[in-house]
Amino acid sequence: MSMAPLVSNWIDLFNHFASLSLLAVGGAITTAPDMHRYLVTEQGWLSEAQFTSSIALSQAAPGPNVLFVALLGWNVGLNAGGGPGVGGMAWALALVGMVVTMVAIMLPSSIVSYNATRWAHANRHFRSVRAFKAGLAPIVIALLMATGWLLMAAHDQAQEDWPLWLLAGVATLLVWRTRIHLLWLIGVGALLGALGWV
């Protein structure tokens, strides 16, 4: 099922991503589980493969990791236009989807962050401000773990997907216990994927 290109659907998409923007403690990637729930499970505007591919591509590409939101919006718009084979209308709607999701995810959090950072810096001597900052760390870690679990849960066939789970486990250990640059791990993962081993 793809999204009908109605104004109300675009407004719903904007409102949902704008609300997630205010919850994006630790970055937009921490809200990926709810984006998945909304776009894939609830609305059916994206397939499971489109969702996970959007995140994987944006994380492998240079630049800020919030680019996965642009890819999600792009794919929603492309689906609304009937797919890439339809022509100009599909590409125009893909562009609309990209703009809608990016403005929605960036604007509210940017305004709040700018004002909150100025206020917190001016009041950094208060114990409550320091405690609030310290308390955010476990929340961010838990949200990142939820995002990782969501991406892995799409591959739940143990007999077929065990190499992927093994690779994820080894990569997690290497990130935790070594200082290997993440680009090396991404490169190895891409190579193993290209060879069809994961």
Side-chain angles (χ1 to χ4, degrees), residues 18 31-32 37 49 60-61 68 76 82 89 93 124 128-130 137 153 174-175 191 197:
T31 60
R37 180 194 60 78
F68 83 93
V76 167
M89 181 56 119
L93 288 175
R124 62 187 178 279
S128 58
V129 171
R130 293 197 308 269
L174 289 174
V175 169
L191 179 62
W197 293 357

Side-chain angles (χ1 to χ4, degrees), residues 20-31:
L20 289 179
S21 175
L22 297 174
L23 299 174
V25 178
I29 193 71
T30 59
T31 60

Side-chain angles (χ1 to χ4, degrees), residues 148-172 197-198:
W149 181 260
L150 172 77
L151 293 175
M152 291 302 298
H155 304 279
D156 58 354
Q157 303 299 317
Q159 291 183 339
E160 296 174 12
D161 298 326
W162 69 266
L164 185 62
W165 284 84
L166 179 62
L167 177 63
V170 170
T172 301
W197 293 357
V198 292

